[in-house]
């Protein structure tokens, strides 16, 4: 079983945000971003279009690596762009320290032990609420309360961190960016060359196949399973490790939601495809059964 949707995700406004590109036409243009390869590498940014400042920066926290690509207006000045970048990186580091389930003194660990309530800190409330919503949206296949040890939002925590860092960039006046973590990304606006971000999503198991190509001005791609680790996703109904699929990739407006859907689809297998209606804002891009 496999699915390769040829329909873009739902729109938040009337402008197209994500579209699939004819591979033949795309082959003459270098992608800005690649997902699904072992390195999940970035291609070097081209020269920025007139009046722009292009920046690439990579950082690793205790649990994940991130790459940030900014295409900022020149009138911001390099100092302000650098400040915005530092603020976004600080947000990623803070989330790792403050919410990491493996850190004994994190808010998530304290919540598990009953020392605090979800309402104690507004961001924690938002994180818990998102987990509740995704448990309902996936018929219980995404369940942050079903894992050993209690509440663990790991299936969407990384996407949530990326989206919060992206919000910091927007608050600073940067509306053209891409933030990547492994096989996940969120983008907004335009790349350094002035056009939409060109994203090549490589097949998760067959390197000989040409990648699916998207042009994105807003949206996210979330993936579960490409790390090669088996047993890292638990069937919430049995408590046992699961992995009906080799990998699952979901596209949509928000990376935290796309990540949660991908995690749930990876656990549920083909039954999870029913979550993605034709008019849904989120769509399954890859869902390949384990042989």
């Amino acid at each position: 079983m496999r699915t390769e949707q040829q329909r873009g995700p739902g729109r938040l406004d009337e402008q197209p945000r994500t579209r699939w590109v004819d591979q033949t036409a795309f082959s003459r243009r270098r992608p800005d971003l690649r997902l699904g390869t072992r390195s999940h590498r970035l291609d070097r940014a081209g020269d920025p279009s007139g009046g722009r400042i292009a920046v690439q920066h990579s950082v690793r926290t205790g649990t994940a690596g991130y790459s940030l690509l900014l295409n900022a207006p020149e009138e911001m000045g390099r100092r302000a762009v650098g400040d915005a970048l530092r603020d976004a990186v600080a947000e990623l580091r803070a989330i790792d320290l403050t919410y990491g389930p493996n850190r004994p003194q994190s808010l998530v660990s304290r919540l598990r032990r009953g020392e605090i309530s979800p309402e104690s800190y507004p961001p924690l409330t938002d994180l818990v609420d998102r987990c509740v919503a995704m448990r309902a949206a996936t018929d219980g296949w995404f369940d942050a309360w079903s894992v050993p040890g209690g509440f663990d939002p790991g299936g969407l925590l990384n996407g949530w961190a990326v989206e919060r860092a992206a919000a910091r960039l927007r608050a600073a006046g940067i509306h053209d960016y891409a933030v990547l973590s492994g096989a996940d990304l969120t983008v907004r606006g335009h790349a350094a060359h002035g056009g939409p971000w060109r994203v090549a999503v490589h097949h998760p198991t067959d390197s000989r196949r040409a990648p699916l190509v998207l042009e994105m001005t807003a949206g996210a791609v979330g993936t579960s399973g490409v790390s090669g680790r088996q047993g890292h996703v638990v069937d919430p109904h049995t408590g046992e490790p699961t992995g009906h699929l080799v990998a699952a990739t979901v596209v949509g407006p928000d990376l935290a939601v796309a990540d949660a859907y991908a995690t749930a689809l990876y656990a549920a297998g083909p039954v999870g495809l029913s979550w993605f209606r034709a008019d849904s804002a989120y769509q399954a891009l890859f869902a390949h059964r384990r042989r």
Side-chain angles (χ1 to χ4, degrees):
M1 180 276 298
R2 73 182 185 213
T3 177
E4 296 176 10
Q5 298 287 347
Q6 298 300 311
R7 171 186 171 87
R11 295 162 173 74
L12 300 182
D13 53 35
E14 294 181 355
Q15 298 301 316
R17 291 176 165 240
T18 301
R19 73 182 185 92
W20 274 255
V21 180
D22 177 72
Q23 179 64 39
T24 304
F26 187 86
S27 63
R28 296 188 297 272
R29 294 177 292 171
R30 186 178 65 187
D32 304 300
L33 312 166
R34 295 180 184 271
L35 296 179
T37 61
R38 286 190 178 272
S39 63
H40 309 305
R41 69 182 178 86
L42 308 178
D43 282 9
R44 291 186 60 83
D47 294 332
S49 56
R52 311 295 293 182
I53 300 171
V55 177
Q56 289 188 9
H57 181 75
S58 295
V59 62
R60 174 163 287 280
T61 68
T63 56
Y66 302 90
S67 295
L68 300 90
L69 292 81
L70 314 184
N71 177 30
E74 194 171 58
E75 57 266 25
M76 280 191 67
R78 294 189 177 275
R79 181 185 296 272
V81 173
D83 289 343
L85 176 61
R86 282 188 289 273
D87 193 34
V89 169
E91 181 72 5
L92 293 171
R93 294 190 184 280
I95 290 173
D96 174 55
L97 292 171
T98 307
Y99 297 93
N102 296 324
R103 296 185 179 275
Q105 295 306 314
S106 73
L107 296 183
V108 168
S109 294
R110 293 179 62 196
L111 180 63
R112 283 176 174 172
R113 296 193 297 265
E115 297 173 2
I116 59 175
S117 71
E119 294 77 25
S120 300
Y121 301 90
L124 180 61
T125 303
D126 177 57
L127 182 61
V128 171
D129 287 348
R130 283 173 174 262
C131 289
V132 171
M134 291 312 301
R135 181 169 58 182
T138 60
D139 303 318
W141 281 99
F142 179 92
D143 189 345
W145 289 267
S146 69
V147 297
F151 177 67
D152 186 341
L156 62 70
L157 183 62
N158 201 48
W160 186 70
V162 167
E163 290 292 355
R164 287 182 63 87
R168 293 277 188 164
L169 295 175
R170 294 194 299 274
I174 298 176
H175 299 281
D176 301 274
Y177 59 77
V179 185
L180 297 85
S181 180
D184 302 338
L185 69 78
T186 189
V187 302
R188 179 71 65 92
H190 297 84
H193 48 69
W197 295 95
R198 300 193 292 258
V199 182
V201 185
H202 289 260
H203 191 276
T205 60
D206 188 352
S207 61
R208 297 169 299 178
R209 296 181 59 173
L212 292 179
V213 179
L214 304 88
E215 288 190 342
M216 305 178 72
T217 55
V221 181
T223 299
S224 181
V226 296
S227 66
R229 292 186 297 128
Q230 294 190 26
H232 69 291
V233 176
V234 173
D235 182 334
H237 303 99
T238 66
E240 297 296 323
T242 186
H244 296 292
L245 304 179
V246 176
T249 299
V250 174
V251 295
D254 182 277
L255 183 54
V257 177
D259 257 352
Y261 267 128
T263 299
L265 181 58
Y266 180 80
V271 69
L273 295 175
S274 63
W275 305 326
F276 307 102
R277 302 182 308 274
D279 60 347
S280 173
Y282 294 85
Q283 296 292 331
L285 181 60
F286 285 118
H288 286 260
R289 189 191 297 273
R290 190 177 299 282
R291 294 179 179 177

